Amino acid sequence: MEAPVGFLVVSLLLSCFATTCYGVTFSSLQRTLEVTASPTQDQVLKAGDANITVTWGLNRTIQAGTDSAYKTVKVKLCYAPISQKDRSWRKTVDEMKKDKTCLVKIVAKPYTASNNSFTWTVERDIPTGTYFVRAYAFNAHDEEVAFGQTTNDKKETNLFKIQAITGRHASLDIASVCFSAFSIVALAGFFYMEKSKGKASQQK
């Protein structure tokens, strides 16, 4: 028995509506990219100083042609679960537009299947935490279609730490010392001038 045309149209519209409203989900993405990063397990990197070298490409076990829709790749720094606990602003959500696991972009480049590498200096404002690296492949519509990451599915392996910058920067300390020295010299000059004026008045 053929389904009524009206039913098919309604089903199609509902399907399109759901896709448009909900958007791309992480669970729908294929893990086709092989991603590695230079930090070792539990290595501590200093923000504003340390470098991370990331390499990525299509997993060699993936069937040829799987990446035909890949146009760009965006590599991101991502929070490990331990650094997401009790922090809703870092919460993992299946819907990609709402997901906050990977908030820091390392680099974005046109997609190529192999020989991709980039060295990134950890930015000064990166907070203390435990991290991993993930790469997303995007299609021509700038939608995520695949991914790869340096850790396992449970995000338990190959995690590294970043130590945030604490206290004042050296340049601020230097500026503070210079300002203090200038203030002392200016104050001494002021007292000297006042004393000289006093002597001149007495001589008159």
Side-chain angles (χ1 to χ4, degrees), residues 11-74:
S11 298
L12 181 60
L13 288 174
L14 288 175
S15 177
C16 292
F17 178 76
T19 302
T20 302
C21 291
Y22 198 65
V24 178
T25 59
F26 182 77
S27 57
S28 69
L29 304 181
Q30 291 182 301
R31 185 170 180 171
T32 61
L33 302 180
E34 192 73 28
V35 183
T36 62
S38 55
T40 56
Q41 176 73 33
D42 294 326
Q43 182 178 352
V44 180
L45 308 176
K46 291 185 178 181
D49 180 60
N51 293 327
I52 297 175
T53 298
V54 184
T55 60
W56 67 93
L58 186 68
N59 191 314
R60 295 182 180 180
T61 64
I62 300 298
Q63 184 178 357
T66 301
D67 59 347
S68 59
Y70 301 177
K71 300 302 179 183
T72 58
V73 168
K74 296 179 183 180

Side-chain angles (χ1 to χ4, degrees), residues 76-79 99-105 132 134 136:
K76 297 188 176 185
L77 183 69
C78 310
Y79 294 109
D99 181 48
K100 299 176 182 177
T101 307
C102 309
L103 297 178
V104 180
K105 185 178 76 173
F132 64 95
R134 179 182 289 168
Y136 289 106

Side-chain angles (χ1 to χ4, degrees), residues 90-163:
R90 301 177 182 176
K91 186 178 180 181
T92 294
V93 180
D94 194 37
E95 186 180 357
M96 293 304 302
K97 289 183 178 180
K98 296 181 180 180
D99 181 48
K100 299 176 182 177
T101 307
C102 309
L103 297 178
V104 180
K105 185 178 76 173
I106 293 177
V107 68
K109 286 190 172 184
Y111 173 79
T112 54
S114 60
N115 300 322
N116 301 288
S117 180
F118 183 78
T119 298
W120 179 67
T121 300
V122 180
E123 296 172 358
R124 294 177 53 81
D125 58 350
I126 299 299
T128 295
T130 303
Y131 297 86
F132 64 95
V133 175
R134 179 182 289 168
Y136 289 106
F138 288 76
N139 61 20
H141 303 291
D142 201 33
E143 297 171 332
E144 298 92 342
V145 289
F147 80 102
Q149 59 189 30
T150 55
T151 187
N152 61 0
D153 291 338
K154 293 183 178 181
K155 296 179 282 188
E156 298 172 334
T157 61
N158 299 324
L159 304 177
F160 56 91
K161 300 176 182 179
I162 292 178
Q163 181 180 339

Side-chain angles (χ1 to χ4, degrees), residues 1-12:
M1 182 178 178
E2 294 184 359
V5 175
F7 175 78
L8 293 175
V9 172
V10 171
S11 298
L12 181 60

